[in-house]
Short mmCIF file of all heavy atoms in Angstrom, two decimals:
data_model
loop_
_atom_site.label_atom_id
_atom_site.label_comp_id
_atom_site.label_asym_id
_atom_site.label_seq_id
_atom_site.Cartn_x
_atom_site.Cartn_y
_atom_site.Cartn_z
N MET A 1 -25.13 -7.64 11.09
CA MET A 1 -23.77 -7.72 11.25
C MET A 1 -23.04 -8.30 10.06
O MET A 1 -23.53 -9.25 9.60
CB MET A 1 -23.46 -8.48 12.54
CG MET A 1 -21.93 -8.54 12.88
SD MET A 1 -21.82 -9.20 14.55
CE MET A 1 -20.09 -8.72 14.79
N ALA A 2 -21.99 -7.75 9.60
CA ALA A 2 -21.27 -8.18 8.49
C ALA A 2 -20.55 -9.49 8.73
O ALA A 2 -19.97 -9.66 9.89
CB ALA A 2 -20.27 -7.21 7.99
N LYS A 3 -20.27 -10.29 7.71
CA LYS A 3 -19.59 -11.55 7.94
C LYS A 3 -18.19 -11.16 7.60
O LYS A 3 -17.86 -10.48 6.67
CB LYS A 3 -20.00 -12.58 6.83
CG LYS A 3 -21.40 -13.09 7.11
CD LYS A 3 -21.83 -14.15 6.25
CE LYS A 3 -23.28 -14.54 6.62
NZ LYS A 3 -23.83 -15.62 6.02
N ARG A 4 -17.35 -11.61 8.51
CA ARG A 4 -15.85 -11.26 8.39
C ARG A 4 -15.15 -12.38 7.59
O ARG A 4 -15.37 -13.57 7.71
CB ARG A 4 -15.24 -11.18 9.80
CG ARG A 4 -15.94 -9.97 10.49
CD ARG A 4 -15.33 -9.82 11.87
NE ARG A 4 -15.91 -11.02 12.69
CZ ARG A 4 -15.57 -11.27 13.97
NH1 ARG A 4 -14.75 -10.46 14.59
NH2 ARG A 4 -16.07 -12.29 14.54
N VAL A 5 -14.21 -11.91 6.64
CA VAL A 5 -13.59 -12.78 5.82
C VAL A 5 -12.10 -12.48 5.74
O VAL A 5 -11.64 -11.37 5.74
CB VAL A 5 -14.06 -12.55 4.24
CG1 VAL A 5 -13.36 -13.40 3.28
CG2 VAL A 5 -15.62 -12.80 4.26
N ALA A 6 -11.22 -13.63 5.83
CA ALA A 6 -9.86 -13.49 5.63
C ALA A 6 -9.50 -14.18 4.36
O ALA A 6 -9.99 -15.19 3.99
CB ALA A 6 -9.15 -14.24 6.79
N ILE A 7 -8.68 -13.47 3.53
CA ILE A 7 -8.34 -14.00 2.26
C ILE A 7 -6.76 -14.40 2.26
O ILE A 7 -5.94 -13.55 2.34
CB ILE A 7 -8.58 -13.02 1.16
CG1 ILE A 7 -10.03 -12.59 1.10
CG2 ILE A 7 -8.10 -13.54 -0.20
CD1 ILE A 7 -10.39 -11.65 0.13
N LEU A 8 -6.55 -15.64 2.23
CA LEU A 8 -5.11 -16.20 2.26
C LEU A 8 -4.72 -16.19 0.84
O LEU A 8 -5.42 -16.62 -0.05
CB LEU A 8 -5.14 -17.60 2.78
CG LEU A 8 -5.80 -17.82 4.24
CD1 LEU A 8 -5.64 -19.18 4.68
CD2 LEU A 8 -5.17 -16.80 5.27
N GLY A 9 -3.46 -15.66 0.66
CA GLY A 9 -2.83 -15.61 -0.72
C GLY A 9 -3.65 -14.51 -1.57
O GLY A 9 -3.96 -14.67 -2.75
N SER A 10 -3.84 -13.39 -0.83
CA SER A 10 -4.72 -12.34 -1.47
C SER A 10 -3.97 -11.64 -2.62
O SER A 10 -4.73 -10.90 -3.40
CB SER A 10 -4.98 -11.21 -0.38
OG SER A 10 -3.83 -10.59 -0.03
N THR A 11 -2.73 -11.82 -2.81
CA THR A 11 -2.06 -11.21 -3.94
C THR A 11 -1.96 -11.97 -5.23
O THR A 11 -1.55 -11.57 -6.21
CB THR A 11 -0.66 -10.70 -3.53
OG1 THR A 11 0.17 -11.89 -3.20
CG2 THR A 11 -0.64 -9.75 -2.45
N GLY A 12 -2.30 -13.25 -5.11
CA GLY A 12 -2.32 -14.15 -6.26
C GLY A 12 -3.60 -14.04 -7.12
O GLY A 12 -4.48 -13.29 -6.75
N SER A 13 -3.71 -14.74 -8.22
CA SER A 13 -4.76 -14.55 -9.14
C SER A 13 -6.15 -14.93 -8.50
O SER A 13 -7.15 -14.23 -8.55
CB SER A 13 -4.63 -15.34 -10.38
OG SER A 13 -4.48 -16.76 -10.10
N ILE A 14 -6.22 -16.12 -7.81
CA ILE A 14 -7.38 -16.54 -7.06
C ILE A 14 -7.73 -15.43 -5.88
O ILE A 14 -8.79 -15.06 -5.74
CB ILE A 14 -7.28 -17.86 -6.53
CG1 ILE A 14 -7.16 -18.84 -7.75
CG2 ILE A 14 -8.47 -18.28 -5.69
CD1 ILE A 14 -6.86 -20.35 -7.38
N GLY A 15 -6.64 -15.04 -5.19
CA GLY A 15 -6.91 -14.17 -4.06
C GLY A 15 -7.44 -12.82 -4.57
O GLY A 15 -8.37 -12.22 -3.91
N THR A 16 -6.92 -12.28 -5.64
CA THR A 16 -7.41 -10.93 -6.11
C THR A 16 -8.82 -11.04 -6.67
O THR A 16 -9.57 -10.12 -6.41
CB THR A 16 -6.47 -10.34 -7.24
OG1 THR A 16 -6.23 -11.27 -8.20
CG2 THR A 16 -5.05 -9.95 -6.65
N ASN A 17 -9.15 -12.09 -7.30
CA ASN A 17 -10.51 -12.40 -7.80
C ASN A 17 -11.43 -12.57 -6.72
O ASN A 17 -12.51 -11.99 -6.75
CB ASN A 17 -10.54 -13.52 -8.73
CG ASN A 17 -10.07 -13.24 -10.14
OD1 ASN A 17 -10.24 -12.12 -10.57
ND2 ASN A 17 -9.33 -14.17 -10.64
N THR A 18 -11.04 -13.23 -5.59
CA THR A 18 -11.87 -13.47 -4.43
C THR A 18 -12.13 -12.09 -3.76
O THR A 18 -13.17 -11.78 -3.33
CB THR A 18 -11.22 -14.37 -3.44
OG1 THR A 18 -11.02 -15.66 -4.08
CG2 THR A 18 -12.08 -14.58 -2.26
N LEU A 19 -11.04 -11.30 -3.65
CA LEU A 19 -11.18 -9.94 -3.12
C LEU A 19 -12.21 -9.15 -3.82
O LEU A 19 -13.01 -8.41 -3.31
CB LEU A 19 -9.82 -9.18 -3.03
CG LEU A 19 -9.69 -8.03 -2.16
CD1 LEU A 19 -10.16 -8.15 -0.70
CD2 LEU A 19 -8.24 -7.54 -2.26
N ASP A 20 -12.13 -9.04 -5.13
CA ASP A 20 -13.08 -8.37 -6.01
C ASP A 20 -14.46 -8.87 -5.75
O ASP A 20 -15.43 -8.07 -5.63
CB ASP A 20 -12.73 -8.63 -7.48
CG ASP A 20 -11.55 -7.93 -7.90
OD1 ASP A 20 -11.08 -6.97 -7.15
OD2 ASP A 20 -10.89 -8.19 -8.99
N VAL A 21 -14.73 -10.15 -5.67
CA VAL A 21 -16.01 -10.63 -5.50
C VAL A 21 -16.65 -10.27 -4.06
O VAL A 21 -17.72 -9.82 -3.98
CB VAL A 21 -16.08 -12.23 -5.55
CG1 VAL A 21 -17.36 -12.85 -5.09
CG2 VAL A 21 -15.89 -12.66 -7.05
N VAL A 22 -15.75 -10.39 -3.08
CA VAL A 22 -16.16 -9.97 -1.74
C VAL A 22 -16.59 -8.43 -1.63
O VAL A 22 -17.57 -8.12 -1.06
CB VAL A 22 -15.14 -10.40 -0.56
CG1 VAL A 22 -15.49 -9.76 0.63
CG2 VAL A 22 -14.98 -11.82 -0.61
N GLN A 23 -15.78 -7.74 -2.32
CA GLN A 23 -16.04 -6.27 -2.30
C GLN A 23 -17.29 -5.95 -3.09
O GLN A 23 -18.09 -5.10 -2.65
CB GLN A 23 -14.87 -5.44 -2.92
CG GLN A 23 -13.64 -5.41 -2.00
CD GLN A 23 -12.54 -4.71 -2.63
OE1 GLN A 23 -12.01 -5.01 -3.67
NE2 GLN A 23 -12.20 -3.52 -2.02
N SER A 24 -17.60 -6.74 -4.02
CA SER A 24 -18.90 -6.46 -4.85
C SER A 24 -20.12 -6.89 -4.17
O SER A 24 -21.24 -6.48 -4.50
CB SER A 24 -18.80 -7.25 -6.22
OG SER A 24 -18.92 -8.54 -6.05
N LEU A 25 -19.96 -7.73 -3.12
CA LEU A 25 -21.14 -8.20 -2.36
C LEU A 25 -21.69 -7.10 -1.42
O LEU A 25 -22.76 -7.32 -0.84
CB LEU A 25 -20.70 -9.54 -1.52
CG LEU A 25 -20.40 -10.68 -2.40
CD1 LEU A 25 -19.92 -11.84 -1.62
CD2 LEU A 25 -21.62 -11.10 -3.25
N GLY A 26 -20.96 -6.07 -1.25
CA GLY A 26 -21.40 -4.91 -0.43
C GLY A 26 -21.19 -5.03 1.04
O GLY A 26 -20.26 -5.83 1.49
N PRO A 27 -21.96 -4.34 1.84
CA PRO A 27 -21.78 -4.20 3.28
C PRO A 27 -21.99 -5.47 4.10
O PRO A 27 -21.69 -5.45 5.24
CB PRO A 27 -22.58 -3.04 3.72
CG PRO A 27 -23.69 -3.03 2.73
CD PRO A 27 -23.13 -3.59 1.48
N GLY A 28 -22.45 -6.49 3.57
CA GLY A 28 -22.75 -7.86 4.24
C GLY A 28 -21.47 -8.51 4.54
O GLY A 28 -21.43 -9.53 5.24
N PHE A 29 -20.39 -8.15 3.89
CA PHE A 29 -19.10 -8.76 4.11
C PHE A 29 -18.00 -7.88 4.40
O PHE A 29 -17.99 -6.67 3.72
CB PHE A 29 -18.67 -9.63 2.84
CG PHE A 29 -19.61 -10.79 2.53
CD1 PHE A 29 -20.77 -10.68 1.92
CD2 PHE A 29 -19.19 -12.01 3.13
CE1 PHE A 29 -21.61 -11.80 1.72
CE2 PHE A 29 -20.07 -13.10 2.86
CZ PHE A 29 -21.21 -12.99 2.23
N GLN A 30 -17.11 -8.16 5.30
CA GLN A 30 -16.04 -7.29 5.65
C GLN A 30 -14.70 -8.08 5.59
O GLN A 30 -14.60 -9.11 6.28
CB GLN A 30 -16.19 -6.70 7.06
CG GLN A 30 -15.12 -5.83 7.58
CD GLN A 30 -15.25 -5.48 8.95
OE1 GLN A 30 -16.15 -5.99 9.65
NE2 GLN A 30 -14.48 -4.57 9.47
N VAL A 31 -13.72 -7.60 4.80
CA VAL A 31 -12.48 -8.32 4.76
C VAL A 31 -11.62 -7.81 5.92
O VAL A 31 -11.26 -6.63 6.13
CB VAL A 31 -11.67 -7.98 3.49
CG1 VAL A 31 -10.36 -8.57 3.43
CG2 VAL A 31 -12.50 -8.34 2.24
N THR A 32 -11.38 -8.77 6.85
CA THR A 32 -10.53 -8.44 8.09
C THR A 32 -9.17 -8.99 8.09
O THR A 32 -8.36 -8.61 8.95
CB THR A 32 -11.32 -9.07 9.30
OG1 THR A 32 -11.55 -10.40 9.16
CG2 THR A 32 -12.74 -8.44 9.46
N GLY A 33 -8.83 -9.81 7.07
CA GLY A 33 -7.49 -10.38 7.11
C GLY A 33 -7.05 -10.58 5.63
O GLY A 33 -7.79 -11.03 4.84
N LEU A 34 -5.78 -10.29 5.47
CA LEU A 34 -5.12 -10.55 4.13
C LEU A 34 -3.79 -11.21 4.35
O LEU A 34 -3.09 -10.93 5.37
CB LEU A 34 -4.88 -9.26 3.39
CG LEU A 34 -6.15 -8.41 2.90
CD1 LEU A 34 -5.66 -7.06 2.30
CD2 LEU A 34 -6.98 -9.20 1.92
N SER A 35 -3.34 -12.05 3.50
CA SER A 35 -2.04 -12.70 3.56
C SER A 35 -1.34 -12.84 2.20
O SER A 35 -2.05 -13.01 1.18
CB SER A 35 -2.09 -14.04 4.34
OG SER A 35 -2.58 -15.05 3.38
N ALA A 36 -0.10 -12.77 2.21
CA ALA A 36 0.81 -12.96 1.02
C ALA A 36 2.10 -13.56 1.35
O ALA A 36 2.50 -13.50 2.55
CB ALA A 36 1.03 -11.66 0.40
N ALA A 37 2.63 -14.36 0.46
CA ALA A 37 3.86 -15.02 0.56
C ALA A 37 5.11 -13.98 0.37
O ALA A 37 5.81 -13.72 1.33
CB ALA A 37 4.09 -16.21 -0.33
N ARG A 38 5.16 -13.42 -0.83
CA ARG A 38 6.25 -12.65 -1.09
C ARG A 38 5.85 -11.29 -1.79
O ARG A 38 6.69 -10.44 -1.80
CB ARG A 38 7.20 -13.29 -2.06
CG ARG A 38 7.95 -14.43 -1.39
CD ARG A 38 8.92 -15.12 -2.31
NE ARG A 38 8.20 -16.04 -3.28
CZ ARG A 38 7.84 -17.25 -2.87
NH1 ARG A 38 7.97 -17.65 -1.79
NH2 ARG A 38 7.19 -17.93 -3.76
N ARG A 39 4.68 -11.18 -2.28
CA ARG A 39 4.33 -9.90 -3.06
C ARG A 39 3.97 -8.79 -2.08
O ARG A 39 2.80 -8.46 -1.99
CB ARG A 39 3.21 -10.18 -4.01
CG ARG A 39 3.77 -11.18 -5.15
CD ARG A 39 2.69 -11.70 -6.05
NE ARG A 39 2.33 -10.49 -6.85
CZ ARG A 39 1.38 -10.39 -7.68
NH1 ARG A 39 0.40 -11.43 -7.69
NH2 ARG A 39 1.04 -9.27 -8.35
N TRP A 40 4.96 -8.27 -1.49
CA TRP A 40 4.67 -7.27 -0.42
C TRP A 40 4.10 -5.91 -0.82
O TRP A 40 3.38 -5.34 -0.24
CB TRP A 40 6.02 -7.02 0.43
CG TRP A 40 7.10 -6.54 -0.35
CD1 TRP A 40 8.08 -7.15 -1.07
CD2 TRP A 40 7.52 -5.09 -0.47
NE1 TRP A 40 9.04 -6.34 -1.67
CE2 TRP A 40 8.61 -5.06 -1.23
CE3 TRP A 40 7.00 -3.98 0.05
CZ2 TRP A 40 9.21 -3.81 -1.58
CZ3 TRP A 40 7.57 -2.76 -0.27
CH2 TRP A 40 8.68 -2.61 -1.03
N ARG A 41 4.60 -5.49 -2.04
CA ARG A 41 3.95 -4.21 -2.58
C ARG A 41 2.53 -4.33 -2.87
O ARG A 41 1.76 -3.46 -2.60
CB ARG A 41 4.74 -3.92 -3.85
CG ARG A 41 6.15 -3.37 -3.65
CD ARG A 41 6.79 -3.00 -4.98
NE ARG A 41 8.09 -2.60 -4.81
CZ ARG A 41 9.24 -3.42 -5.02
NH1 ARG A 41 9.05 -4.61 -5.42
NH2 ARG A 41 10.49 -2.95 -4.74
N GLU A 42 2.06 -5.53 -3.46
CA GLU A 42 0.63 -5.66 -3.71
C GLU A 42 0.00 -5.86 -2.35
O GLU A 42 -1.23 -5.29 -2.22
CB GLU A 42 0.49 -7.00 -4.55
CG GLU A 42 -0.94 -7.36 -4.79
CD GLU A 42 -1.66 -6.34 -5.80
OE1 GLU A 42 -0.95 -5.53 -6.37
OE2 GLU A 42 -2.95 -6.54 -5.83
N LEU A 43 0.45 -6.47 -1.44
CA LEU A 43 -0.15 -6.58 -0.07
C LEU A 43 -0.43 -5.18 0.52
O LEU A 43 -1.45 -4.90 1.07
CB LEU A 43 0.61 -7.58 0.86
CG LEU A 43 0.08 -7.73 2.30
CD1 LEU A 43 -1.36 -8.36 2.13
CD2 LEU A 43 1.00 -8.49 3.06
N ALA A 44 0.60 -4.35 0.44
CA ALA A 44 0.53 -3.08 1.08
C ALA A 44 -0.47 -2.30 0.29
O ALA A 44 -1.28 -1.53 0.93
CB ALA A 44 1.87 -2.27 0.84
N ARG A 45 -0.64 -2.37 -0.97
CA ARG A 45 -1.65 -1.69 -1.76
C ARG A 45 -3.08 -2.19 -1.40
O ARG A 45 -3.89 -1.31 -1.12
CB ARG A 45 -1.49 -1.90 -3.37
CG ARG A 45 -2.41 -1.07 -4.11
CD ARG A 45 -2.53 -1.55 -5.60
NE ARG A 45 -3.07 -2.89 -5.71
CZ ARG A 45 -4.37 -3.28 -5.51
NH1 ARG A 45 -5.18 -2.31 -5.19
NH2 ARG A 45 -4.71 -4.52 -5.70
N GLN A 46 -3.14 -3.47 -1.16
CA GLN A 46 -4.46 -3.99 -0.74
C GLN A 46 -4.89 -3.45 0.61
O GLN A 46 -5.98 -3.09 0.85
CB GLN A 46 -4.47 -5.48 -0.68
CG GLN A 46 -4.47 -6.09 -2.06
CD GLN A 46 -4.30 -7.58 -2.10
OE1 GLN A 46 -3.93 -8.23 -1.06
NE2 GLN A 46 -4.58 -8.28 -3.24
N CYS A 47 -3.86 -3.39 1.49
CA CYS A 47 -4.14 -2.86 2.93
C CYS A 47 -4.54 -1.33 2.79
O CYS A 47 -5.45 -1.02 3.63
CB CYS A 47 -2.92 -3.09 3.79
SG CYS A 47 -2.59 -4.81 4.22
N LYS A 48 -3.96 -0.60 2.06
CA LYS A 48 -4.34 0.77 1.88
C LYS A 48 -5.81 0.94 1.41
O LYS A 48 -6.53 1.81 1.85
CB LYS A 48 -3.43 1.56 1.00
CG LYS A 48 -2.09 1.79 1.57
CD LYS A 48 -1.22 2.58 0.51
CE LYS A 48 0.21 2.85 1.13
NZ LYS A 48 1.02 3.48 0.07
N GLU A 49 -6.14 0.04 0.51
CA GLU A 49 -7.46 0.09 0.06
C GLU A 49 -8.56 -0.53 0.91
O GLU A 49 -9.65 0.05 1.06
CB GLU A 49 -7.60 -0.66 -1.39
CG GLU A 49 -8.83 -0.74 -2.08
CD GLU A 49 -8.78 -1.52 -3.33
OE1 GLU A 49 -7.75 -1.51 -4.03
OE2 GLU A 49 -9.91 -1.99 -3.66
N ILE A 50 -8.23 -1.64 1.49
CA ILE A 50 -9.25 -2.41 2.34
C ILE A 50 -9.34 -2.02 3.82
O ILE A 50 -10.32 -2.15 4.46
CB ILE A 50 -8.99 -3.93 2.15
CG1 ILE A 50 -8.95 -4.30 0.60
CG2 ILE A 50 -10.03 -4.74 2.93
CD1 ILE A 50 -10.27 -4.06 0.02
N HIS A 51 -8.12 -1.67 4.35
CA HIS A 51 -7.94 -1.51 5.84
C HIS A 51 -8.44 -2.72 6.70
O HIS A 51 -9.25 -2.53 7.50
CB HIS A 51 -8.76 -0.16 6.29
CG HIS A 51 -8.19 1.02 5.65
ND1 HIS A 51 -8.79 1.62 4.54
CD2 HIS A 51 -7.22 1.80 6.07
CE1 HIS A 51 -8.04 2.73 4.19
NE2 HIS A 51 -7.05 2.86 5.18
N PRO A 52 -7.80 -3.86 6.40
CA PRO A 52 -8.07 -4.99 7.20
C PRO A 52 -7.59 -4.89 8.62
O PRO A 52 -6.65 -3.98 8.89
CB PRO A 52 -7.33 -6.15 6.50
CG PRO A 52 -6.15 -5.52 5.88
CD PRO A 52 -6.63 -4.14 5.50
N THR A 53 -8.07 -5.70 9.53
CA THR A 53 -7.64 -5.68 10.90
C THR A 53 -6.19 -6.23 11.04
O THR A 53 -5.37 -5.70 11.83
CB THR A 53 -8.48 -6.58 11.74
OG1 THR A 53 -9.89 -6.18 11.56
CG2 THR A 53 -8.11 -6.61 13.23
N ALA A 54 -5.90 -7.23 10.09
CA ALA A 54 -4.61 -7.91 10.15
C ALA A 54 -4.09 -8.19 8.76
O ALA A 54 -4.93 -8.56 7.94
CB ALA A 54 -4.56 -9.09 11.03
N ALA A 55 -2.75 -8.23 8.54
CA ALA A 55 -2.22 -8.66 7.29
C ALA A 55 -0.94 -9.44 7.61
O ALA A 55 -0.17 -9.09 8.69
CB ALA A 55 -1.84 -7.43 6.49
N VAL A 56 -0.65 -10.51 6.80
CA VAL A 56 0.48 -11.35 7.09
C VAL A 56 1.39 -11.35 5.86
O VAL A 56 0.75 -11.64 4.83
CB VAL A 56 0.04 -12.76 7.45
CG1 VAL A 56 1.22 -13.65 7.71
CG2 VAL A 56 -0.91 -12.79 8.71
N LEU A 57 2.58 -11.16 6.04
CA LEU A 57 3.66 -11.34 5.01
C LEU A 57 4.51 -12.49 5.41
O LEU A 57 5.20 -12.38 6.41
CB LEU A 57 4.39 -10.14 4.73
CG LEU A 57 5.52 -10.20 3.66
CD1 LEU A 57 4.90 -10.39 2.22
CD2 LEU A 57 6.27 -8.93 3.59
N ALA A 58 4.48 -13.60 4.66
CA ALA A 58 5.20 -14.78 5.08
C ALA A 58 6.76 -14.62 4.88
O ALA A 58 7.48 -15.12 5.74
CB ALA A 58 4.83 -15.99 4.21
N ASP A 59 7.22 -13.86 3.91
CA ASP A 59 8.67 -13.67 3.63
C ASP A 59 9.19 -12.46 4.49
O ASP A 59 8.76 -11.37 4.27
CB ASP A 59 8.85 -13.37 2.27
CG ASP A 59 10.35 -13.26 1.83
OD1 ASP A 59 11.19 -13.46 2.72
OD2 ASP A 59 10.53 -13.04 0.68
N PRO A 60 10.08 -12.73 5.49
CA PRO A 60 10.50 -11.68 6.23
C PRO A 60 11.54 -10.73 5.67
O PRO A 60 11.84 -9.73 6.26
CB PRO A 60 11.11 -12.48 7.55
CG PRO A 60 11.50 -13.71 7.02
CD PRO A 60 10.45 -14.01 5.95
N ALA A 61 12.00 -11.04 4.45
CA ALA A 61 13.01 -10.33 3.85
C ALA A 61 12.59 -8.84 3.54
O ALA A 61 13.49 -7.95 3.46
CB ALA A 61 13.43 -10.91 2.46
N HIS A 62 11.27 -8.58 3.43
CA HIS A 62 10.76 -7.18 3.17
C HIS A 62 10.00 -6.56 4.28
O HIS A 62 9.27 -5.61 4.07
CB HIS A 62 9.97 -7.17 1.81
CG HIS A 62 10.84 -7.63 0.65
ND1 HIS A 62 11.75 -6.87 0.12
CD2 HIS A 62 10.75 -8.85 -0.01
CE1 HIS A 62 12.34 -7.51 -0.93
NE2 HIS A 62 11.74 -8.70 -0.98
N ALA A 63 10.27 -7.06 5.48
CA ALA A 63 9.48 -6.56 6.61
C ALA A 63 9.69 -5.09 6.82
O ALA A 63 8.77 -4.26 7.10
CB ALA A 63 9.84 -7.36 7.88
N ALA A 64 10.86 -4.65 6.75
CA ALA A 64 11.21 -3.15 7.07
C ALA A 64 10.56 -2.31 5.92
O ALA A 64 10.28 -1.13 6.14
CB ALA A 64 12.73 -2.98 7.15
N GLU A 65 10.57 -2.86 4.63
CA GLU A 65 10.02 -2.02 3.56
C GLU A 65 8.51 -1.82 3.62
O GLU A 65 7.97 -0.88 3.27
CB GLU A 65 10.54 -2.54 2.27
CG GLU A 65 11.99 -2.56 2.05
CD GLU A 65 12.45 -3.49 0.97
OE1 GLU A 65 12.04 -4.74 0.93
OE2 GLU A 65 13.30 -3.04 0.15
N ILE A 66 7.89 -2.96 3.92
CA ILE A 66 6.34 -2.95 4.07
C ILE A 66 5.77 -2.10 5.18
O ILE A 66 4.75 -1.60 5.16
CB ILE A 66 5.71 -4.35 3.82
CG1 ILE A 66 4.14 -4.22 3.51
CG2 ILE A 66 6.04 -5.14 5.05
CD1 ILE A 66 3.61 -5.59 3.21
N GLN A 67 6.41 -2.27 6.36
CA GLN A 67 5.80 -1.65 7.59
C GLN A 67 5.33 -0.25 7.46
O GLN A 67 4.21 0.04 7.78
CB GLN A 67 6.92 -1.80 8.73
CG GLN A 67 6.37 -1.29 10.05
CD GLN A 67 5.25 -2.15 10.58
OE1 GLN A 67 5.36 -3.36 10.60
NE2 GLN A 67 4.14 -1.56 10.86
N PRO A 68 6.13 0.68 6.82
CA PRO A 68 5.66 2.07 6.83
C PRO A 68 4.43 2.30 5.73
O PRO A 68 3.88 3.32 5.77
CB PRO A 68 6.82 2.91 6.37
CG PRO A 68 7.89 1.88 5.86
CD PRO A 68 7.56 0.56 6.38
N LEU A 69 4.28 1.34 4.98
CA LEU A 69 3.23 1.40 3.95
C LEU A 69 1.85 0.87 4.48
O LEU A 69 0.86 1.07 3.80
CB LEU A 69 3.58 0.60 2.67
CG LEU A 69 4.99 0.99 2.02
CD1 LEU A 69 5.29 0.12 0.88
CD2 LEU A 69 4.94 2.48 1.64
N ILE A 70 1.86 0.20 5.60
CA ILE A 70 0.62 -0.38 6.16
C ILE A 70 -0.14 0.64 6.94
O ILE A 70 0.42 1.33 7.79
CB ILE A 70 0.92 -1.65 6.89
CG1 ILE A 70 1.70 -2.64 6.04
CG2 ILE A 70 -0.33 -2.22 7.63
CD1 ILE A 70 0.95 -3.26 4.91
N PRO A 71 -1.46 0.86 6.82
CA PRO A 71 -2.21 1.71 7.57
C PRO A 71 -2.09 1.37 9.10
O PRO A 71 -1.91 0.18 9.51
CB PRO A 71 -3.68 1.55 7.11
CG PRO A 71 -3.59 0.90 5.77
CD PRO A 71 -2.23 0.13 5.79
N ARG A 72 -2.18 2.39 9.98
CA ARG A 72 -2.11 2.12 11.38
C ARG A 72 -3.16 1.23 11.93
O ARG A 72 -2.95 0.59 12.93
CB ARG A 72 -2.02 3.51 12.10
CG ARG A 72 -0.91 4.28 11.79
CD ARG A 72 -1.01 5.56 12.60
NE ARG A 72 0.18 6.39 12.20
CZ ARG A 72 0.88 7.04 13.05
NH1 ARG A 72 0.66 7.01 14.43
NH2 ARG A 72 1.93 7.82 12.72
N CYS A 73 -4.26 1.23 11.23
CA CYS A 73 -5.30 0.31 11.74
C CYS A 73 -5.20 -1.14 11.44
O CYS A 73 -6.00 -2.03 11.90
CB CYS A 73 -6.69 0.82 11.14
SG CYS A 73 -6.74 0.64 9.31
N THR A 74 -4.19 -1.46 10.75
CA THR A 74 -3.89 -2.89 10.35
C THR A 74 -2.65 -3.33 11.07
O THR A 74 -1.61 -2.69 10.97
CB THR A 74 -3.64 -2.94 8.78
OG1 THR A 74 -4.75 -2.46 8.05
CG2 THR A 74 -3.24 -4.38 8.39
N GLU A 75 -2.85 -4.53 11.74
CA GLU A 75 -1.76 -5.14 12.39
C GLU A 75 -1.01 -5.98 11.31
O GLU A 75 -1.56 -6.84 10.69
CB GLU A 75 -2.22 -6.08 13.60
CG GLU A 75 -1.03 -6.72 14.31
CD GLU A 75 -1.64 -7.68 15.32
OE1 GLU A 75 -2.83 -7.96 15.48
OE2 GLU A 75 -0.75 -8.22 16.07
N LEU A 76 0.30 -5.67 11.24
CA LEU A 76 1.18 -6.40 10.30
C LEU A 76 1.90 -7.55 11.02
O LEU A 76 2.68 -7.25 12.09
CB LEU A 76 2.16 -5.51 9.59
CG LEU A 76 3.13 -6.15 8.60
CD1 LEU A 76 2.31 -6.86 7.53
CD2 LEU A 76 4.19 -5.16 8.11
N LEU A 77 1.77 -8.76 10.61
CA LEU A 77 2.51 -9.87 11.12
C LEU A 77 3.51 -10.46 10.02
O LEU A 77 3.03 -10.45 8.88
CB LEU A 77 1.51 -10.99 11.57
CG LEU A 77 0.42 -10.51 12.51
CD1 LEU A 77 -0.69 -11.68 12.69
CD2 LEU A 77 1.05 -10.32 13.87
N ILE A 78 4.61 -10.84 10.46
CA ILE A 78 5.64 -11.33 9.55
C ILE A 78 5.98 -12.64 9.89
O ILE A 78 6.21 -13.03 10.98
CB ILE A 78 6.87 -10.31 9.56
CG1 ILE A 78 6.51 -8.94 9.37
CG2 ILE A 78 8.06 -10.89 8.62
CD1 ILE A 78 6.12 -8.55 7.96
N GLY A 79 6.13 -13.55 8.91
CA GLY A 79 6.64 -14.94 8.97
C GLY A 79 5.53 -15.87 8.76
O GLY A 79 4.38 -15.57 8.52
N PRO A 80 5.97 -17.14 8.61
CA PRO A 80 5.09 -18.21 8.09
C PRO A 80 4.11 -18.55 9.22
O PRO A 80 3.10 -19.08 9.08
CB PRO A 80 6.03 -19.43 7.79
CG PRO A 80 7.26 -19.13 8.43
CD PRO A 80 7.32 -17.65 8.62
#
């Protein structure tokens, strides 16, 4: 069974590097959660690529813009 991983701050430099490392580890790890503060376009791109179970955008200002970009398999949560 794969280990499930949530990456907080997935759109920042540490988060993107962590995402790269987890993906390189192969099927033993599954990214199930991503979060971002304000970089909603990058979060949407990551969700399209990874298909996590859940994604969180802390800044509600772009909730309407990001919603149609998120895959149906990913639950989008908005707010801190």
Side-chain angles (χ1 to χ4, degrees):
M1 181 170 195
K3 294 184 183 190
R4 295 178 291 180
V5 177
I7 300 176
L8 307 179
S10 67
T11 61
S13 62
I14 293 172
T16 55
N17 286 320
T18 302
L19 191 55
D20 290 342
V21 169
V22 171
Q23 288 180 299
S24 73
L25 294 174
F29 291 85
Q30 177 187 10
V31 176
T32 59
L34 298 172
S35 76
R38 290 180 285 281
R39 296 180 67 193
W40 63 274
R41 288 182 182 98
E42 178 68 12
L43 181 62
R45 187 196 63 74
Q46 289 175 343
C47 287
K48 285 181 184 177
E49 181 181 331
I50 305 297
H51 293 96
T53 305
V56 179
L57 180 63
D59 183 3
H62 298 287
E65 294 164 314
I66 192 173
Q67 183 65 54
L69 303 176
I70 300 296
R72 291 181 186 226
C73 63
T74 300
E75 177 182 10
L76 178 63
L77 305 167
I78 305 292

